[in-house]
């Protein structure tokens, strides 16, 4: 019997009613109805989150993936990217149809979805024209079209993000109603607390603590969730109604947190190598330079380029080239070792490494280690064939070689060019004085 009372809010309330006698029956019943109202409001909020947010996140991820074939086609010219783009486009169209068939409480959300669909259609047309080009590699027109395509994809993602923001606002309003209901329950039980004698006071206090502390824990979760903090978890134990509701809440929050994290990772990672992409590299470099300026610490930048990579693609095909790029990325990541350093794919067969709080001497030692590791690695083509690959590395330091992110990248690129001219498979450090002499 005690176990039943401990695991059920309803049993606790009915026990309190029996002790408080008939005059307090109405107040206790009001508390019970308030709790049921909180539970119903929370369940409605959970269902609304699932129906509104998850399709938007799924569509955003699908749009980001659809941009990849066009980028790869411009880089490599593989005709297979056309079929891949067609499949991904069909997936995006299907998701848009599902989203447009959903019921929206706000006409503004439907208008935003329609604008995103129109923007996607324009991007799709640009992508089809781009993929129809016979020789995209090195084609300036293809590069220009690629920039337009990226802009359309970005605009579609921004429009869907605004739908997310409207959904968050609606959810926050729903959660506010649940919080208000919780406050009503608090007022009712506090009224019970003030009406009784010593026995009623003690029983009412115990009943209030067993319910209101749990309602408050859920209200705190509502507030955090409404603010977009999907990593928040309600700390509520027990097997009663509120405990089970907290479990559902936490499960839903974990799913949304995972979806948001997956979207974020997709947007900052290169799909082939798993390294950071060019956009994330630019952002990280800006942050690291600000930190270096604030604390007056050095920073070094390595720029790596695979030697004769075009010959690998021409002789063995792009799948082998992609395999080489992926293995080189793994070697660089392994040799850098420090998880705080930033390793990114800069574009094509180029990689960059941001070495925070590292001067040029230390960066040069690391660069030589990376170069030697790649040169010593055997890249397997199949069971009977293998090849060796080398890299040229350019090195520049901040603030001695450059005073901005753009000039630092340019300095590392000049050093890389010097490494290529020196015969490849070597490391060259940027020399400001020599650079000035060459431009005089």
């Amino acid at each position: 019997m005690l176990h039943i009372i401990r695991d059920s809010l309803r049993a606790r309330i009915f026990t309190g009613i029996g002790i408080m006698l008939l005059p307090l029956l109405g107040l206790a019943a009001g508390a019970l109805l308030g709790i049921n109202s909180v539970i119903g409001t929370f369940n409605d909020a959970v269902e609304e989150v699932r129906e509104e947010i998850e399709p938007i996140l799924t569509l955003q991820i699908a749009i980001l993936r659809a941009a990849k074939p066009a980028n790869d086609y411009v880089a490599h010219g593989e005709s297979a990217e056309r079929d891949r783009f067609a499949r991904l486009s069909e997936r995006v169209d299907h998701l848009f149809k599902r989203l447009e068939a959903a019921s929206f409480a706000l006409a503004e959300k439907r208008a935003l979805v329609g604008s995103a669909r129109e923007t996607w259609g324009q991007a799709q047309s640009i992508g089809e024209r781009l993929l129809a080009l016979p020789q995209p590699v090195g084609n300036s027109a293809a590069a220009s079209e690629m920039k337009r395509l990226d802009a359309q994809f970005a605009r579609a993602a921004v429009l869907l993000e605004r739908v997310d923001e409207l959904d968050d606002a609606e959810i926050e309003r729903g959660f506010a109603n649940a919080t208000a209901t919780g406050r009503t329950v608090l007022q009712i039980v506090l009224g019970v607390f003030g009406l009784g004698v010593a026995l009623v006071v003690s029983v009412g206090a115990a009943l209030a603590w067993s319910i209101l502390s749990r309602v408050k824990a859920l209200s705190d979760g509502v507030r955090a969730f409404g603010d977009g903090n999907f990593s928040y978890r309600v700390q509520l134990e027990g097997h009663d109604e509120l405990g089970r509701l907290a479990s559902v809440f936490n499960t839903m929050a974990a799913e949304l947190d995972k979806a948001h994290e997956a979207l974020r990772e997709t947007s900052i990672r290169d799909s082939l190598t798993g390294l950071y992409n060019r956009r994330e590299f630019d952002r990280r470099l800006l942050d690291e330079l600000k930190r270096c300026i604030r604390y007056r610490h050095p920073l070094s930048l390595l720029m790596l380029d695979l030697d004769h990579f075009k010959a690998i693609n021409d002789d063995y095909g792009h799948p082998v080239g992609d395999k080489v790029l992926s293995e080189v990325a793994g070697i660089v990541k392994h040799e850098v070792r420090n998880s705080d350093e930033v390793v990114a794919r800069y574009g094509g067969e180029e990689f960059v490494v941001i070495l925070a709080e590292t001067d040029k001497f230390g960066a040069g030692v690391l660069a030589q280690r990376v170069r030697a590791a790649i040169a010593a690695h055997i890249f397997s083509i199949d069971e009977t064939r293998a090849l060796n690959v080398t890299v040229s590395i350019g090195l520049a330091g901040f603030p001695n070689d450059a005073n901005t992110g753009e000039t630092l990248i340019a300095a590392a690129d000049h050093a890389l060019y010097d490494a290529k001219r020196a015969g490849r498979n070597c490391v060259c450090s940027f020399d400001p004085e020599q650079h000035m002499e060459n431009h005089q």
Side-chain angles (χ1 to χ4, degrees), residues 316 320 323 378-388:
Y316 303 103
V320 172
K323 184 175 183 292
I378 303 300
F379 294 83
S380 176
I381 300 174
D382 51 37
E383 294 181 355
T384 60
R385 295 183 299 166
L387 58 85
N388 293 100

Short mmCIF file of all heavy atoms in Angstrom, two decimals, residues 316 320 323 378-388:
data_model
loop_
_atom_site.label_atom_id
_atom_site.label_comp_id
_atom_site.label_asym_id
_atom_site.label_seq_id
_atom_site.Cartn_x
_atom_site.Cartn_y
_atom_site.Cartn_z
N TYR A 316 44.51 7.05 -62.02
CA TYR A 316 43.81 6.02 -61.24
C TYR A 316 42.32 6.30 -61.04
O TYR A 316 41.59 5.43 -60.58
CB TYR A 316 44.46 5.87 -59.85
CG TYR A 316 45.93 5.55 -59.91
CD1 TYR A 316 46.89 6.53 -59.66
CD2 TYR A 316 46.36 4.26 -60.23
CE1 TYR A 316 48.25 6.24 -59.71
CE2 TYR A 316 47.72 3.97 -60.29
CZ TYR A 316 48.66 4.97 -60.03
OH TYR A 316 49.99 4.67 -60.07
N VAL A 320 40.05 6.80 -56.34
CA VAL A 320 41.36 6.63 -55.70
C VAL A 320 41.84 7.97 -55.16
O VAL A 320 42.40 8.06 -54.06
CB VAL A 320 42.38 6.04 -56.69
CG1 VAL A 320 43.78 6.05 -56.07
CG2 VAL A 320 41.98 4.62 -57.08
N LYS A 323 40.16 8.63 -51.96
CA LYS A 323 40.73 7.78 -50.91
C LYS A 323 42.05 8.35 -50.41
O LYS A 323 42.32 8.36 -49.21
CB LYS A 323 40.93 6.36 -51.46
CG LYS A 323 41.43 5.34 -50.44
CD LYS A 323 41.47 3.95 -51.07
CE LYS A 323 41.90 2.89 -50.03
NZ LYS A 323 43.29 3.07 -49.64
N ILE A 378 52.13 4.27 -47.32
CA ILE A 378 51.83 3.53 -48.56
C ILE A 378 50.32 3.62 -48.80
O ILE A 378 49.52 3.16 -47.98
CB ILE A 378 52.27 2.06 -48.46
CG1 ILE A 378 53.77 1.98 -48.13
CG2 ILE A 378 51.95 1.33 -49.75
CD1 ILE A 378 54.66 2.64 -49.16
N PHE A 379 49.92 4.21 -49.91
CA PHE A 379 48.52 4.35 -50.27
C PHE A 379 48.13 3.18 -51.18
O PHE A 379 48.59 3.10 -52.32
CB PHE A 379 48.27 5.69 -50.97
CG PHE A 379 48.50 6.87 -50.09
CD1 PHE A 379 49.79 7.39 -49.90
CD2 PHE A 379 47.44 7.48 -49.42
CE1 PHE A 379 50.00 8.49 -49.09
CE2 PHE A 379 47.65 8.59 -48.60
CZ PHE A 379 48.93 9.09 -48.43
N SER A 380 47.32 2.31 -50.67
CA SER A 380 46.94 1.11 -51.41
C SER A 380 45.86 1.43 -52.44
O SER A 380 44.83 2.03 -52.12
CB SER A 380 46.42 0.05 -50.43
OG SER A 380 45.96 -1.09 -51.12
N ILE A 381 46.12 1.03 -53.70
CA ILE A 381 45.14 1.21 -54.76
C ILE A 381 44.22 0.00 -54.83
O ILE A 381 42.99 0.11 -54.86
CB ILE A 381 45.84 1.42 -56.12
CG1 ILE A 381 46.73 2.67 -56.04
CG2 ILE A 381 44.82 1.54 -57.24
CD1 ILE A 381 47.57 2.86 -57.27
N ASP A 382 44.80 -1.17 -54.85
CA ASP A 382 44.06 -2.43 -54.79
C ASP A 382 44.99 -3.47 -54.17
O ASP A 382 46.02 -3.13 -53.57
CB ASP A 382 43.55 -2.86 -56.18
CG ASP A 382 44.66 -2.85 -57.24
OD1 ASP A 382 45.80 -3.21 -56.89
OD2 ASP A 382 44.38 -2.48 -58.39
N GLU A 383 44.69 -4.75 -54.34
CA GLU A 383 45.49 -5.79 -53.70
C GLU A 383 46.90 -5.90 -54.27
O GLU A 383 47.80 -6.42 -53.60
CB GLU A 383 44.77 -7.13 -53.86
CG GLU A 383 43.44 -7.20 -53.11
CD GLU A 383 42.79 -8.55 -53.26
OE1 GLU A 383 43.32 -9.38 -54.02
OE2 GLU A 383 41.74 -8.79 -52.63
N THR A 384 47.12 -5.40 -55.47
CA THR A 384 48.44 -5.58 -56.10
C THR A 384 49.17 -4.27 -56.36
O THR A 384 50.34 -4.28 -56.68
CB THR A 384 48.28 -6.32 -57.44
OG1 THR A 384 47.42 -5.55 -58.31
CG2 THR A 384 47.66 -7.70 -57.21
N ARG A 385 48.46 -3.14 -56.23
CA ARG A 385 49.09 -1.86 -56.57
C ARG A 385 49.03 -0.90 -55.39
O ARG A 385 48.07 -0.93 -54.62
CB ARG A 385 48.41 -1.23 -57.78
CG ARG A 385 48.55 -2.02 -59.07
CD ARG A 385 47.89 -1.26 -60.22
NE ARG A 385 46.47 -1.06 -59.98
CZ ARG A 385 45.71 -0.22 -60.68
NH1 ARG A 385 46.25 0.51 -61.65
NH2 ARG A 385 44.42 -0.11 -60.41
N ALA A 386 50.06 -0.07 -55.30
CA ALA A 386 50.12 0.96 -54.26
C ALA A 386 50.91 2.14 -54.81
O ALA A 386 51.59 2.04 -55.83
CB ALA A 386 50.80 0.42 -53.00
N LEU A 387 50.79 3.26 -54.16
CA LEU A 387 51.53 4.44 -54.60
C LEU A 387 51.97 5.26 -53.40
O LEU A 387 51.45 5.10 -52.30
CB LEU A 387 50.70 5.29 -55.57
CG LEU A 387 49.34 5.84 -55.09
CD1 LEU A 387 49.51 7.15 -54.35
CD2 LEU A 387 48.42 6.06 -56.29
N ASN A 388 52.96 6.11 -53.64
CA ASN A 388 53.44 7.05 -52.61
C ASN A 388 53.00 8.45 -52.99
O ASN A 388 52.94 8.80 -54.17
CB ASN A 388 54.97 7.00 -52.50
CG ASN A 388 55.45 5.67 -51.94
OD1 ASN A 388 55.88 4.80 -52.67
ND2 ASN A 388 55.36 5.52 -50.63
#
